[in-house]
Structures are given as C-alpha cells and as structure tokens.
Amino acid sequence: MNSFRESDEEDNNPFSGTNHLYASGIGAVPEGDDDFLSAEVDTADETVQETREQMMSRLFGECEGPRESSAGGWTSGSMGSIGAPDGHSDEVTEFGIDTVLVEGEVRTPGRARVPASYPDAEGSLGALRIVDAGQYKDTFGNYAIGYTIAYEGRQVTRRYSEFDSLRQALARLLPTVIIPPIPSKHPLIRYFLNPLNAENDIRIIEKRRRLLSRFLNNCHDITDIREHTVFQKFLNPEYIWSEVLLTPPVSILPTNNLLAPPLNPTKPSPLHLLLPTPPRRTTSYGSPKTNNPEYDIRFTELESLLLRYHKCLQPVLASSRQKKIHFKQLASSLADLGAYYNAFSLEDNVINLPHQMDQIRDLSRAIEKIGQAVDVNYVSSELLVENIMILLEEPIGEMLQFVQEGREVLRFRMQKQQQFHIIDTTIKKRRGRIEELRNFQAQLARLEAALKQNAEESPTIARAVQRLDAQHLHKQRKSPSGELQWTGLFKSRSGSVRTHDSLTTRPVTGDVDVDLLSDEERAREIARLEGDLEKLNECYKLIQRDMLQVNESMARSFDWFIMYLHDTWALVLRNYTRTLLNWLKDCLTAWKNARVTIDTIAV
Amino acid sequence: MSEIKLGDQWFIIVSDPQKQRGDKSSSGSYVTYQISSKPATEGDKRSGEDDITVVHRRYSDFVLLYQILANDYPACIVPPLPDKKVLNYLDRFSQSFTQKRCHSLQNFLQRLAQHPVLSQSKILHTFLVSSDWDAYQKSLAETVGNLSNKEELTETIMNAFKSVHSQSDEFVEIKEKSGKLDHNVSKIDKLFHRVVKKQEAIAEDYGKLGLSLRELQELVTTGDDRNSEVGNLGTKIKTFNEGMAQLSYSLRDLSRYIDYEYIIDLRDMEDYIDSMKQLIKLKDQKQIDYEELSDYLTRSINEKNNLISGYGSGSNFFKSKLEEFTGINQEAARREKISKLESKVQALTTEVENAKKVADAFEKEALKEVEIFEQIKTRELKRSLTTLADHHIEFYQKMVNTWSKIEESL
C-alpha cells in the first residue's frame, strides 16, 4: 500500500518532471522546455496536454495585442541562458556592425533575451516599445541588463540606471511637470534573502520591461517631455547617455530650482538668484494667497484629491496582492486535485466484472474529464494570477507612484507660492518703514522748527538743542555702515543698525525705532530701502511671472494627469474584465465538456 | 455470475432540517429532517404527485433503522450513517451542521433504496411511510439494545491479527482496489476542503476590492465634474463593482455547495467503502473460522491415525512409556482415546462442512454485495459528479453572462 501511495503521487501528477509554464511561472521557462513555443509548432499527442496548449495560446493570443512582428527576440530568447558562454563567435562580427549603428553600444543577441511574451497593457497605445530585454555589453565592455527601445524605426539599448538618471534629470529640468514614475530599485535585502537565480532575474527583468515601457509611453504622451531634448537624446542611439549627462542642459542644472526660471531652469537668470528660499517643509494649510485665487483654490483641491486618491489606492493594491496570493494557493490546490482526479479515473472500481466494463470505462472517462476541468481551472487560474499582477497590480502601483509625484510637483508650487508671499510681505514692510521714517522726519522737522523758534527766545532750550545735536553725532560715529548685500535683501536689518547701548531689546524681525536714529541715518535708510524696493519690485514682477508660468504649466500637467488616471482606470477595468472573462469562459467550456461525458455513463 | 439489477423502488429526498423544542425535559431540543419519498414508477405511470409521502424523523430514528438493518442483514453492506459524535464546540443546531447531516442522511436513504435486498425490508418501508414509526420506535429500541452482539465483537478482536490463508483472486483484487479508491477519495476530499477555503478567501478579497472601488467611485464622481468623461468613469467603476460583488457572492455559493454537498458525498463515499471493507473482513472471518476448524480436524485425524498405527513419533513413545510407568493400562487407554478421537473427528467433519458452507455462502454473498456496492457507487459518483459539474457550469455561465455585459458597457 505504501509503495502504491508514493508511486501514484508521482506518476499521476501531470506536471511532475516537466518544466511547464504554469509550474515554474510563465515566461520563465528554461531553454528547450519551452512548451508554449512548441505548441504552435507541433501538436501534442496527449489530449490533456492539447487542451492546455490551446488554451494558453488562445489566452495569450487574445490579450497580447500587437506582438512584435519580427520574432527575432523570441527565438533567440529560448536559445541561451544568462551567462552561458555561447555566441562568442557572433560577438566579434556583431561588434563591427553594431558599433557603426549604435556607436559603441553593442548588442549581443543570443544572450538571455527575455521573450516579449507578456501582454502589454498599453501595447496598443504606445508609440514606444521595449522590444527586448536582456544582457548586453555596454560602452565600456561591461555586461549589463539592457532594455532595447524601438522608436521611430530605430532601436537603442539603455539600462535601468540610465532610465533612473533620465527620470531624475527630467524631474529637475521640468519642475512643474509630473514626471512619470519608473519601477523602484529592488531593495538590497532581496539580494540577501533571495540570491539571484536565473528565473528570479528574468522575472524582475520582465517586470521592469513592462513598467519601463509604460514610463516611456507616459513620457511620450506629455508634450513637455516628449519635446525635451534630453528625452530625445535618450531615445537616440547616436548619443551615449553618460555623455549626455555630462553636457548641457543636464550639467548646468541649478542646485536649487526655486532660484531659477521654473519653465527653463538652465536658462541663466541672475535675478532669480535674488529670490528667497522658503523652508522645504511646508504644508498647504495657511499657505498664503497669490493674486490668482482661482488657481490657488484649484491646486488646494488637487492636493486633497491626490491625498484621497492615495488613501484609496493603497487598499486596492493591498487587496489585489492578497487576492493574488490566494489565487496562487488555489491554483496549487487545484493542480493537486486535478492530479488526484486523474489517479481516481484509473482506480475508480473495486471489482472487474465483464458486464460492467462499459460502465466502468465511461465512469473513468467522466472522472478524467472532471480532472481535466480541474486542470484547466488550475492553469487558467495561474494565468489569472499573472494577469492580476500585470493588469491590476502594476498599473495601480504606478498610479500610486504617480500620485506621489503629483504631490511632489504641488509642493514645488507651494514653495513658489511661499516665495511670492515672502517678497510680497517684504515689499509691504519696506514701504511701511519708509513711510514711517518719512513721517518721523517730517514730524521732526516740524518739531525742530518749533524748537528753533523757541530757542531764539530761551537760552536753556538752545543748549538742549545743542546737546541733542551732539548726541546725534555721537551715535553716527558708533553705528556701522549699513551697506547691505544683495543676499540680505529679505533679512531683517535690525541687527546691523542696532545702537550700542541697546535700550530696547526688540525682536529680531523688527526695525530700529525711528526715534533712535539720526537724521542722516534716517535719510540713508530711506535711500537704501528705496534701492531695495526697486529690486524687490523687480523680484515681484519676476515671481509673478513665475507663478503665472508655474500655474499654467502645472494646470496643463494636472489636466493630463487626471486624464491619465481616468484612462488608466478605464484600461485596468477593461483589461481585467477581459482576463476574468477568459478565465470564466475557459473554465465553463472545460466543465461543460466534463458534463457531456458524465451523461454518457449508463447506470 | 448473473447480473444484478439495482432497485429503483424509491425516490427519496431528505430536506428541511428543523429544530424542535424537546417535548420532555430530558432530551432537550432536537432536529428533525423531512423525508419526502415516492415509489418509483415501474413502467406504468400511475404514480403522480400525490404519492409523495412526507414524514419527519430525527437522527436517533436513523440510528435505530441502521441498527435493525445491520442486525437483520449481516451479509449486506448496510450503508453507514454520518458520524454521531458532535463536537462540543460545534453548534448542533447550526445551519452548516444540519445541512451537511441532512445531505448525508439523504445519501444513506438513497443507498438503501437502491440496494436490491435492503430496499425490500419491512422496516425501511415503515420508516419511510408509516406514521406508526413512533409507536414502534420504543419497543424496537429495546429489542435492538438486547441484540448487542458482544460475542462477535470479542471474536473479531481475537482474530484481528490472523489472516486468511487461501484467498480468492477476486478478493485480493477487491481489497487492493478498494484501498486505492479509498485513498483517492479521501485525498480529493481533503483537497476540496482546501479549495473551498481558498475560494472563500478569494470571495472575501473580491468583497474587499469592491469596497475600495466604491470609495474610488465616489472619489472619481465627486472629485472633479468639469469633465464629462469623469462621470463616465464613475459609472464604469460602478458597473465593474457590481460585477465584483456578484462574483463574490456566486463564488461563495459555489463554495458552499462544495462544502455542504460535494465534500459530504465524498466523505460518505469513504464511509461506504469502509463498510464494504468491514463486510469483507467479516467474510474473512468466516473463512478463518473454517480454516481453523479444518486445521483442527486434520490434527485430530493425524493423532487418531498415529494411535491406530501404534507408536508414531518419539514423543508418543515417551508418553506411552510414562503411562506404562504409572501403571495405566496402555491398551485400554489407547482404545478409549481412539474412540474419543473418532467421535471428535466425526463431529468436526460436520462442523467443517458447515463452516465451509457458511464461508462459501458468505463469500458468494459478499461478492454479490460488492457488486451491488460497485453499482451503487457508480450511480452515486455519476450523480455527484453531475451536480458538481452543474454547479460549476451554473457559476461560470452566470459569471460569463454578467461579465460579458460588463465588458460591453466598458
């Protein structure tokens, strides 16, 4: 009995020993074992096998969209595995040809190419496609994982780190535009927990391939990015990316985008350097008003909308992950179940009687069909799992990242707004001060006139006036020259002008009491303040223009973004529905077949 | 061997478990099951709707029926009842428990009704249709109580480790195959259990997803209504969400069916196989009885022959010497012994013949029973597979319809 148990568990598992797509993950099939590929070529003799293959190809065929027309990447993909030392001879010849074409970037075919077998969620919309992903040899002769982008008839291979730097460059070059996200770097801990094996690697590469392709298409969809020279250079095989990063505009990016023209940070603008730097941490609450209140309201609304979106997307992502796990477990249970039904179909009777042979045979067939239905259920569930990941989890993850990016851009605007506010209030303060000084001066003049008039009549008063003058002189000697630097335009000057014997301890922000200043000082300050004001007014004009540009550009960007969100959701819903339907239909057919066979049992 | 026709005499449905307040304080509450039965139409279509008899029985009534049948038909595979034991933490009146038991009881009665011998039993008829059952019940219960067969039990235990020497090929095969069958069925049972759990988890996941999607829908519809397309997306999400909810419910229904009926079918099948194994064990028992007796007989005959032919083996020689020494009249003792043995051999011979007859008859009977079992099992498998497939088809069909509509509207 015991030996039977063991044998049956092994022999009847329809997938034991084979390396099926559904056993080891679709697309991650090592060389030679690629059943899916062979399905289109030769017809398997086993019926069980056949239905599965049919279903696979049907499923793939339907949700795939336009597959790459040249199957070159495909076939070469199944030829080599990562690190396999084949294709050396090819390399030499390829080198010569490709250097001309790709300028130093050498693609070595036959090296762990990942077949483009995944249905592309955005395949139909995309002007850009990543047609191939796998090892290649970069400019410096190092092997790396490269992603080959096809765009306007040309192909260029870039690696993940280059995508990353592109994104970073774009984010700095276009601070008012929401830059599409790219998949995050893998956490380092993964390398320790799960040392890279070939399959794992391929899965990661595949995932990145999909997400990077979405990134490119999203970028392409945004006019500001599409027309940007850096993006164009990224897609152009004639440029070596590391050199692009070392040349303008990337190399001349300002350290702080707030101190540069918002739409074109690399354009030199000395006036921008005068702008104040608001603190990095700012909240929308109590953010000052600009003179574009409708934009202010719009962006505050957007801010809260994005926050809600964020809160809403997270549980969706979590539940879809959970569902994926549950489906995976279900699939594995179903796999076992199918196997046992198959075993059951062979051992479903306890006695062999000649007149019952027909009945037994029918019953066996029916049970086998049930087993097949369960198998189909299993395989399509596996597919569903893959599709949940590709069609639901990844776009939602992308949207989450995107929302985060959107909030980042909003923060930039907030800081700009803060800048505006600071300039605005400073101007008001300066004006007030000038007013104050002038008023005091006038008052003083009146007072002096009155005193002088009185002094002619009284020697005591005359002496008092003399002493007052002396005091003024004394103070003048002591006060340091209040020459201000440009950088100090927005700083409070109280510290530099404060009297030695500080009779009054004022807050740092306050100005020195006007009555403590001498006439000369007052006049100097007024002159200085007027000089400041002149510059401040220029700044004001600048920041107003900036705000306008920021508002318009961001409004555009957010319009696009909201559209993107809606489009993506619509797409997700549509794709998911389609996959679900495929799953349901496959199962339905399988069970119907089983049902027909059951009916043939004569009892 | 002649072909055995299964009985088609009854059409039975057990349904509607009802909790009853206990009439007397002692028993407390109990559950009754409604049994609707109808004699199957045998050629003529005279039986209509009116022929359906409805009675209410409780679990202990089923137990009684089973005991009586088991006593009256020792050579039959009496279908087993669902386990009596109710775990303490399990609510005896919970829907899931009574529903499952209800289905199991139906399996029990249907098996009885298909059995060519058992279906003809008086007691089954009484059980199914008679309103007098309650009256019988008391006295029957007492009788059954007295009939408890302790002897058989001890004997079975004593012989538990003995095995049959000569076994017909048929039974070797039956034993082996029933073992495999049992193994497969129990594996499938366990796996389905896992599948049900996962399906329920997935149904829950869909429910949760629906919940978060509803939030999204609100967000999308309230967030920005400048765009006409936005409202459109809101309705799309709504449609999608409704589909999700339906999927979740239907999947739960499917799981419930599997849990309440199909798994019960499988479990009952396991029990039924066990019952069959029990019968075969009983058959083996008879065989062992016969073999032991015939062993004993041959030994006795050998001894007698030895005595007659004089001193056979060495041990006998010493024994006779010893007897001589103690002064027993050898010759007389020997003659006495021989005559004793002769009568013993005679008695044994008839015994052996009887045992042989019993064993043979039982074996024949058992073989017939196994064949009946085989047929009932096939029928039952067909029925349970059909309903399994039907439920799956229903689920998938419904979902395909629902989602096709959704796809169109998207």
Side-chain angles (χ1 to χ4, degrees), chain A residues 538-556:
Chain A
E538 277 179 60
C539 284
Y540 185 76
K541 267 184 233 154
L542 186 75
I543 192 77
Q544 241 188 331
R545 207 178 59 226
D546 277 6
M547 275 320 285
L548 206 67
Q549 287 176 341
V550 166
N551 282 340
E552 277 171 1
S553 168
M554 271 176 57
R556 229 176 20 247

Side-chain angles (χ1 to χ4, degrees), chain B residues 50 138 143 175 361:
Chain B
D50 335 320
K138 260 222 170 77
T143 336
K175 274 182 191 166

Side-chain angles (χ1 to χ4, degrees), chain A residues 326 341 348 350 352 595, chain B residues 173 177 205 262 374 377 390:
Chain A
H326 283 147
Y341 264 114
D348 59 344
V350 291
N352 281 328
R595 181 73 174 77
Chain B
E173 193 189 339
K177 284 193 161 181
D205 291 341
Y262 191 69
E374 175 76 31
K377 179 219 72 190
D390 282 349

Side-chain angles (χ1 to χ4, degrees), chain A residues 349-351 356 360, chain B residues 370-378:
Chain A
N349 60 328
V350 291
I351 186 166
Q356 285 181 345
I360 288 166
Chain B
V370 170
E371 199 183 329
I372 292 167
F373 164 83
E374 175 76 31
Q375 291 212 27
I376 292 179
K377 179 219 72 190
T378 304

Side-chain angles (χ1 to χ4, degrees), chain B residues 13-106:
Chain B
I13 291 173
V14 182
S15 61
D16 194 24
Q18 288 277 334
K19 187 178 172 180
Q20 304 284 340
R21 292 247 151 262
D23 39 356
K24 275 146 211 151
S25 55
S26 58
S27 58
S29 303
Y30 59 91
V31 178
T32 60
Y33 301 90
Q34 177 182 306
I35 304 164
S36 319
S37 60
K38 190 179 90 166
T41 52
E42 282 175 66
D44 56 327
K45 298 257 175 197
R46 66 185 155 80
S47 56
E49 291 285 311
D50 335 320
D51 289 343
I52 297 175
T53 321
V54 176
V55 291
H56 292 268
R57 300 278 182 254
R58 49 184 292 194
Y59 179 70
S60 58
D61 296 328
F62 281 88
V63 173
L64 193 62
L65 175 67
Y66 174 80
Q67 282 173 336
I68 292 166
L69 287 172
N71 266 316
D72 291 358
Y73 302 93
C76 286
I77 305 174
V78 181
L81 274 175
D83 267 349
K84 177 166 178 67
K85 63 163 183 271
V86 181
L87 295 170
N88 284 336
Y89 56 84
L90 233 164
D91 183 6
R92 208 148 56 90
F93 303 108
S94 75
Q95 199 211 0
S96 83
F97 177 77
T98 53
Q99 285 289 350
K100 286 176 185 175
R101 179 171 267 185
C102 181
H103 189 73
S104 194
L105 291 174
Q106 177 172 312

Side-chain angles (χ1 to χ4, degrees), chain A residues 4 8 12 339-353 356-371 597-598 600-603, chain B residues 173-186 188 262 266 269-270 272-273 276 370-382 384-385:
Chain A
F4 142 73
D8 109 326
N12 287 302
Y340 273 105
Y341 264 114
N342 288 342
F344 187 28
S345 75
L346 302 172
E347 295 155 353
D348 59 344
N349 60 328
V350 291
I351 186 166
N352 281 328
L353 297 169
Q356 285 181 345
M357 285 318 270
D358 286 352
Q359 202 184 50
I360 288 166
R361 199 197 53 228
D362 288 344
L363 180 66
S364 300
R365 265 206 349 241
I367 293 173
E368 198 192 328
K369 281 280 174 194
I370 292 272
T597 321
I598 293 168
T600 62
I601 306 170
V603 288
Chain B
E173 193 189 339
I174 288 170
K175 274 182 191 166
E176 194 194 323
K177 284 193 161 181
S178 62
K180 286 183 185 178
L181 187 66
D182 200 13
H183 173 70
N184 283 330
V185 173
S186 71
I188 290 172
Y262 191 69
L266 289 169
M269 183 57 72
E270 287 168 53
Y272 202 20
I273 295 167
M276 189 202 65
V370 170
E371 199 183 329
I372 292 167
F373 164 83
E374 175 76 31
Q375 291 212 27
I376 292 179
K377 179 219 72 190
T378 304
R379 247 190 216 193
E380 214 169 85
L381 277 178
K382 182 186 174 179
S384 72
L385 289 178

Side-chain angles (χ1 to χ4, degrees), chain B residues 163-168 283 287 290-291:
Chain B
S163 55
V164 204
H165 292 300
S166 67
Q167 182 107 259
S168 63
K283 187 230 80 172
Q287 183 103 11
Y290 158 70
E291 277 169 10

